[in-house]
Amino acid sequence: MPSAERSARRSALAAAVAVGALLSGALSTAAQAAPSASDLKSVSYQGHRFDVPKNWPVVDLAADPTACVRFDQHAVYLGTPGEDQACPTGLVGRTEALLIQPDGTVAGHGTELSEVGKEIVSRVPGLKVTATYADDLGLVRSVLDRAGLPHATSRKAAVNEAPARATAGLTVNGSADLTNHIGKGFDACTAPSNGLMDSWKANSPYGAVGVYIGGSNRACGQSNLTASWVQRQAGNGWRFLPIYVGLYAHQIDPANAAAQGRAAADDAANQAAQLGFGQGSLIYNDMEDYGSAYSGRVLSFLSAWTTRLHERGYNSGVYSSSNSGIADIVNNRSNGYALPEVLFTARWNGAANTDEPVIPAGTWANHRRVHQYRGNTTETWGGYTLQIDQDYLDVQLNGGVAARPTNVGVYRSAEALFAVADHGGGVAGSTMFGNPGDVPLVGDWNGDGKDTFGVYRPSEGWFYLSNDNASVAVSAGFGNPGDVPLVGDWNGDGRDTIGIYRPSTQDFVWTDDNVNVVRTQQMGSAGDVPVVGDWNGDGRDTIGVYRPAEGMFYLTDSGAGASVDHAVPFGNHYENPIVGDWDGDGRDEVGVYRSATAEFLGAAHDSSALAYQVSFGNPGDTPITGTW
């Protein structure tokens, strides 16, 4: 949990915003009005004059290269920011401020306004001006206009559906590997210099660094943070926690929380791509500590954040206090919200591990946690001193398409109708495929990351699989009459293929190409029901059985033997077994479908505890599960 000092700063910020909101009707006109000439002073730099409020301090960065460029307080910074700035940790928010620096790039001239980032960047020959703001955009506009800089054009986050593309030639690794790490890390308000990073890599216990890639509450300037900096550090073995500091709880509009969450994710994906973090990388949303009154809007915002990051090809993480954001996500994990792949918990207990009492055992396990265990500490390694927060990472994602929790659906045999739900149980779509009397199948037949439908026709012993839920892409005869059809990604190549279970001998038989038998494995007893899933998160499906008379699941992680690695009691006796990754952690869990009430119940990992519950379809439907 953040320290009392840091929590007090958060609370003071929230209180100030709340009071400001109450008084906005009386003060909004004055706040947006340009100050009178008598309230201004002139600051000159490289032939340009900037008229700013008299009470703004002016910081000469050439005279003090260790000065921290802070956008959380009114100031004018002149010159090139130093590489080794003395920035404190725990800075929050943005206000009206200016950084005026020489610019030798050929990036073009003009002015761009980022509404989601609350920042204006203006370039003219030889000069770059960064102006941040909180509520008084009019003030910084007037300063730039008086200086004769070009008028701003609005730059909003991309709204295209395509995944973000990392800067050409600068992507170190287009997968989650760049943001995977097991061990100690640290985060600092501004990205450190190359010299510090080299020295700390050689002398410190840290192997990962948190960098603040964007957001309307990013308080420190980031002059070191470029794609070439990321590339250099990655080449030296560093791994990263890309952190986006967007809206805090009290700034989220309850009526537009989802739209704001999507906009933040778009901006974060764009910023990450510009820095060279490719698809499959993990981006964390910094949601600072908040009161329970804000829980609903935060959950909607973060759910939309996660959904949109997945659409853009990124994995989602959330940083928050264990008692607010983390607790809210954990306690509402079965309520239809899109869940982040990784939880980044702030609990300053000094323990360099990922044990967290708020997060139940078996959830966000399998290398999906980060713990900020100490804050506001100053350390020196190899002659370089920096104030940091200390983190312990246990993150090892598989990369590629971001993990998504399993959804449910039903098959209505008499109509050959498939109907599917979103994670909250709302109707996501329906279609007809196959013939009445077919057995429904669901799988990712072509490796595109999305499940589609198929059927097994018992009268023929044939499988018919579709990649578009309309036409047959694969047809294959396999097995004998009386066999039970199976589907699994047996070899971990990202594509599901067919198999069968033979009740008379308790044999599982499967293929890697929908044609040739690659393995036969016996497991279970007469009367058992076969199940298939990735029980340990290694990317390969293995087998198991449900024993109706006991209400027990017996599962193996082995593709070569039938040792029971997981024995899980769940539900009542003689229920309909189902399988799904209910929390999106990369591991499948068991569950049951109650036909009489059309209820789907999902278990926590290796536990009889309920982790997911939703009603969908009509009593008597056949249950299906998948990621649509």
Side-chain angles (χ1 to χ4, degrees):
M1 179 170 58
S3 67
E5 176 189 0
R6 194 174 194 187
S7 294
R9 287 200 297 267
R10 307 282 189 244
S11 301
L13 174 67
V17 172
V19 171
L22 290 171
L23 297 177
S24 62
L27 299 181
S28 60
T29 302
Q32 298 300 325
S36 64
S38 61
D39 295 325
L40 300 175
K41 65 182 176 185
S42 293
V43 177
S44 296
Y45 189 78
Q46 291 194 353
H48 292 267
R49 192 184 77 179
F50 297 87
D51 295 328
V52 300
K54 284 182 177 179
N55 60 348
W56 286 19
V58 178
V59 180
D60 184 346
L61 297 176
D64 184 4
T66 66
C68 179
V69 176
R70 296 178 53 170
F71 294 131
D72 65 325
Q73 57 187 16
H74 298 306
V76 179
Y77 299 93
L78 299 178
T80 301
E83 290 187 353
D84 291 295
Q85 299 177 36
C87 290
T89 59
L91 301 183
V92 293
R94 280 191 164 185
T95 190
E96 294 72 40
L98 293 178
L99 168 61
I100 306 168
Q101 62 189 107
D103 184 21
T105 68
V106 216
H109 305 135
T111 300
E112 282 191 342
L113 164 65
S114 170
E115 296 175 8
V116 70
K118 293 204 168 184
E119 181 177 275
I120 299 176
V121 177
S122 183
R123 278 188 168 93
V124 294
L127 191 71
K128 176 184 176 183
V129 181
T130 302
T132 61
Y133 64 95
D135 301 316
D136 206 344
L137 173 59
L139 172 60
V140 293
R141 278 187 185 274
S142 69
V143 171
L144 299 180
D145 287 346
R146 286 171 181 262
L149 298 180
H151 289 285
T153 57
S154 179
R155 173 176 60 83
K156 296 185 178 180
V159 295
N160 60 295
E161 294 298 323
R165 291 186 176 274
T167 302
L170 292 172
T171 304
V172 183
N173 192 322
S175 74
D177 181 64
L178 203 58
T179 49
N180 283 341
H181 184 66
I182 298 176
K184 289 185 175 182
F186 72 92
D187 57 272
C189 195
T190 189
S193 68
N194 287 328
L196 183 145
M197 294 297 288
D198 291 347
S199 183
W200 280 41
K201 185 62 180 170
N203 297 286
S204 82
Y206 303 112
V209 57
V211 290
Y212 293 91
I213 66 172
S216 59
N217 281 303
R218 181 173 63 169
C220 287
Q222 301 292 335
S223 56
N224 292 331
L225 186 57
T226 62
S228 58
W229 182 91
V230 172
Q231 185 181 45
R232 186 182 192 277
Q233 309 317 326
N236 288 339
W238 286 100
R239 290 299 176 258
F240 303 89
L241 298 96
I243 303 167
Y244 184 84
V245 198
L247 296 176
Y248 291 152
H250 54 269
Q251 298 168 323
I252 298 171
D253 178 1
N256 295 296
Q260 289 175 322
R262 289 179 65 85
D266 271 324
D267 190 47
N270 293 344
Q271 301 297 337
Q274 286 298 314
L275 291 170
F277 294 105
Q279 295 175 35
S281 295
L282 175 63
I283 307 175
Y284 298 87
N285 185 287
D286 182 341
M287 184 58 66
E288 294 291 341
D289 192 24
Y290 58 87
S292 59
Y294 298 103
S295 293
R297 68 184 70 178
V298 169
L299 287 167
S300 296
F301 179 95
L302 292 176
S303 179
W305 156 272
T306 294
T307 297
R308 185 56 178 158
L309 278 186
H310 289 174
E311 293 170 356
R312 297 292 301 273
Y314 286 89
N315 285 297
S316 167
V318 171
Y319 166 89
S320 193
S321 167
S322 55
N323 293 329
S324 57
I326 301 301
D328 276 344
I329 291 171
V330 169
N331 293 335
N332 289 275
R333 65 189 184 277
S334 302
N335 293 340
Y337 296 104
L339 300 175
E341 278 68 49
V342 175
L343 292 182
F344 185 172
T345 305
R347 183 185 288 274
W348 292 2
N349 59 8
N353 58 41
T354 56
D355 297 340
E356 172 49 60
V358 167
I359 307 175
T363 64
W364 283 277
N366 197 34
H367 310 302
R368 292 172 182 267
R369 298 187 189 184
V370 182
H371 175 203
Q372 187 180 86
Y373 62 91
R374 187 178 289 116
N376 298 342
T377 180
T378 299
E379 298 190 10
T380 301
W381 298 97
Y384 284 85
T385 300
L386 188 66
Q387 188 173 115
I388 62 170
D389 293 334
Q390 295 173 305
D391 310 312
Y392 187 85
L393 294 80
D394 183 9
V395 178
Q396 198 70 42
L397 303 185
N398 292 328
V401 177
R404 293 176 292 161
T406 300
N407 296 325
V408 304
V410 296
Y411 175 71
R412 204 154 289 156
S413 179
E415 306 169 35
L417 175 71
F418 288 83
V420 298
D422 58 29
H423 204 59
V427 177
S430 63
T431 190
M432 297 179 71
F433 184 76
N435 296 336
D438 287 345
V439 177
L441 306 172
V442 173
D444 181 2
W445 318 118
N446 61 359
D448 68 352
K450 294 182 180 180
D451 288 333
T452 47
F453 305 137
V455 295
Y456 172 73
R457 197 155 292 156
S459 60
E460 303 173 357
W462 275 71
F463 292 77
Y464 298 93
L465 314 177
S466 175
N467 290 329
D468 59 6
N469 296 327
S471 59
V472 174
V474 176
S475 58
F478 190 74
N480 299 330
D483 288 344
V484 177
L486 303 176
V487 170
D489 180 5
W490 314 107
N491 61 2
D493 69 352
R495 296 184 304 162
D496 288 314
T497 49
I498 62 175
I500 58 93
Y501 172 73
R502 194 155 288 153
S504 59
T505 59
Q506 295 85 56
D507 280 330
F508 290 78
V509 185
W510 63 83
T511 79
D512 285 340
D513 59 3
N514 297 317
V515 178
N516 299 299
V517 174
V518 294
R519 188 171 299 280
T520 299
Q521 188 170 323
Q522 190 178 60
M523 186 177 184
S525 305
D528 287 348
V529 180
V531 291
V532 174
D534 181 2
W535 317 119
N536 63 0
D538 68 355
R540 296 183 303 167
D541 286 330
T542 48
I543 61 175
V545 295
Y546 169 70
R547 195 155 293 160
E550 301 174 3
M552 286 286 296
F553 291 82
Y554 298 96
L555 317 172
T556 181
D557 291 332
S558 172
S563 59
V564 174
D565 298 299
H566 315 265
V568 184
F570 189 71
N572 301 322
H573 295 187
Y574 296 100
E575 300 211 80
N576 299 300
I578 58 174
V579 171
D581 180 3
W582 313 121
D583 58 4
D585 73 349
R587 300 176 299 173
D588 284 321
E589 293 89 27
V590 299
V592 297
Y593 171 71
R594 291 188 176 149
S595 181
T597 56
E599 281 186 292
F600 293 78
L601 306 174
H605 193 75
D606 284 355
S607 169
S608 60
L610 180 66
Y612 179 62
Q613 182 174 8
V614 71
S615 296
F616 187 73
N618 297 331
D621 287 341
T622 301
I624 58 175
T625 62
T627 53
W628 325 122

